[in-house]
């Protein structure tokens, strides 16, 4: 079973799931490895998503030891990227023994598309384009991350969802992001929450195919599960989807070093 390298627990503001519940679900699915990646979004509107990292690290390391004979558990974090946070995020990463760091775009100029207000003002198309443009700007000022999370996250919350979205429509902006990732040896996450919310992975398979065409090889996989019932969601169909996109393996990180795992 594919390793789930993007999942949340009660250490994230938007989850109430005990760490043990996620671990037990992963074991029940036959997973040999998971990475817990709770949210740290500095300067998020209204001050949400602040991770109690000292307590978090202590808990995950304790859980790792407790379950070491049943499953391998990595310590990760999902950072919300914003241009002005480079120094603070870099210092934060250096302070803790993370195995894996996801860099994610949750805000468009300080506003989370989850709440949909931006779409009401600009419409889906403009908001999507601004999201991809801002993603590239944030990557230029990002700390050292291992993967870019859910590239087309914004489409989950658009008024018309994917009716205003295709790779071709935003190819200029998306290609710039993909080329940056390849040049800087940053992986691209395949996030299966999109299969629940949009009927396709984030990013869309057309984006994954383009990434591979451009020479991208490093992909990480995560369900973005905030509850155990969706941990590993869609993973059974994922190997064939990724093989069809041209990939032969996926990547997991231990001690921030990549390990390549065959899809077959």
């Amino acid at each position: 079973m594919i390793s789930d390298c993007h999942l949340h627990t009660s250490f994230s503001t938007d989850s109430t799931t005990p760490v043990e519940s996620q671990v037990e679900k992963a074991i029940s699915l036959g997973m040999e490895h998971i990475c817990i990646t709770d949210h740290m979004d500095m300067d998020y509107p209204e001050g949400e998503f602040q991770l109690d990292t000292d307590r978090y690290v202590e808990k995950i390391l304790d859980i790792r030891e407790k379950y070491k004979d049943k499953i391998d558990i990595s310590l990760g974090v999902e950072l919300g990227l914003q241009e002005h946070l480079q120094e603070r995020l870099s210092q934060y990463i250096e302070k803790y023994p993370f195995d894996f760091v996801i860099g994610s775009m949750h805000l468009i100029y300080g506003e989370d598309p989850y709440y949909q207000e931006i779409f009401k003002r600009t419409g889906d198309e403009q908001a999507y384009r601004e999201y991809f443009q801002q993603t590239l700007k944030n990557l230029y000022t990002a700390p050292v991350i291992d993967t870019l999370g859910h590239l087309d996250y914004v489409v989950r919350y658009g008024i018309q969802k994917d009716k205003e979205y295709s790779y071709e429509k935003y190819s200029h902006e998306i290609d710039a992001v993909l080329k940056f990732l390849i040049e800087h040896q940053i992986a691209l996450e395949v996030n299966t929450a999109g299969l629940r919310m949009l009927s396709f992975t984030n990013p869309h398979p057309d984006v994954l195919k383009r990434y591979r065409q451009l020479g991208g090889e490093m992909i990480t996989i995560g369900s973005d599960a905030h509850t155990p019932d969706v941990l590993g969601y869609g993973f059974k169909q994922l190997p064939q989807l990724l093989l069809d996109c041209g990939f032969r393996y996926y990547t997991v990180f231990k001690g921030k070093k990549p390990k390549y795992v065959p899809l077959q």
Side-chain angles (χ1 to χ4, degrees), residues 1-4 31-33 221 235 238-239 242 250 263:
M1 171 64 77
I2 288 172
S3 298
D4 196 333
M31 291 184 183
E32 297 180 357
H33 171 260
I221 297 174
F235 279 25
L238 209 52
L242 295 173
Y250 69 99
L263 287 164

Side-chain angles (χ1 to χ4, degrees), residues 78 103-108 112-114 119 124 127-133 135 148-158 161-162 164-168 170-171 173-174 177-178 181 188-195 197-210 224:
E78 181 180 10
S104 293
M105 263 281 295
H106 294 129
L107 303 176
I108 309 175
D112 195 331
Y114 174 86
F119 304 111
D124 288 359
Y128 294 176
R129 199 171 303 280
E130 288 184 359
Y131 179 89
F132 293 125
Q133 291 170 346
T135 297
L148 176 66
H150 47 54
L151 173 56
D152 45 20
Y153 162 90
V154 66
V155 183
R156 296 180 186 176
Y157 305 109
K161 304 290 187 181
D162 58 331
E164 294 287 347
Y165 177 60
S166 67
Y167 160 71
E168 291 77 11
Y170 304 95
S171 61
E173 291 82 5
I174 291 174
V177 172
L178 298 180
L181 297 179
L188 176 65
E189 182 190 56
V190 181
N191 188 303
T192 62
L195 292 172
M197 304 172 77
L198 294 164
S199 79
F200 57 81
T201 56
N202 296 124
H204 192 283
D206 289 346
V207 177
L208 295 173
K209 290 175 184 177
R210 179 57 174 162
D224 211 343

Side-chain angles (χ1 to χ4, degrees), residues 82-83 109 132-142 177:
Q82 296 189 64
E83 287 183 87
Y109 304 112
F132 293 125
Q133 291 170 346
Q134 187 66 20
T135 297
L136 183 61
K137 291 178 181 178
N138 283 345
L139 283 171
Y140 273 109
T141 59
V177 172

